[in-house]
Amino acid sequence: MARRRNWGEEQVYYHDESGRLCSLPLKWTSLAPVDPFVSLSAGRAAFRVSDLLELSRLLSSLREGKKEENDAKNRPAV
């Protein structure tokens, strides 16, 4: 097993059962350092603020795309 930084994040490389080289983000493994928020919240918070803000941005962009799609459908044909 090896660790290295690729594509802006730490990756863990390993060989699977068939010997093929595979990788996972380090944060998906128990090798990653404990997230300070997770440690301090001690299981009391289901979501981190940064994750909720990112979700809000994603939902807003999806709503905007849907609104533009509906506006295009409702325009009179020329």
Side-chain angles (χ1 to χ4, degrees):
M1 186 168 28
R3 280 174 53 173
R4 70 197 294 196
R5 180 171 283 281
N6 283 338
W7 307 297
E9 72 177 353
E10 292 281 327
Q11 297 280 319
V12 174
Y13 291 86
Y14 65 96
H15 293 282
D16 67 8
E17 300 84 27
S18 64
R20 189 179 62 200
L21 183 63
C22 301
S23 68
L24 290 171
L26 177 69
K27 63 185 174 184
W28 291 5
T29 72
S30 60
L31 300 172
V34 175
D35 182 312
F37 176 83
V38 173
S39 177
L40 290 172
S41 68
R44 294 182 304 255
F47 305 101
R48 296 183 310 177
V49 172
S50 60
D51 295 334
L52 291 173
L53 291 171
E54 181 61 29
L55 177 61
S56 175
R57 282 190 286 275
L58 175 62
L59 291 173
S60 293
S61 69
L62 290 172
R63 268 191 232 111
E64 282 301 311
K66 197 65 159 173
K67 181 180 179 295
E68 290 171 8
E69 183 180 308
N70 288 336
D71 289 347
K73 286 180 184 176
N74 294 330
R75 278 190 213 121
V78 180

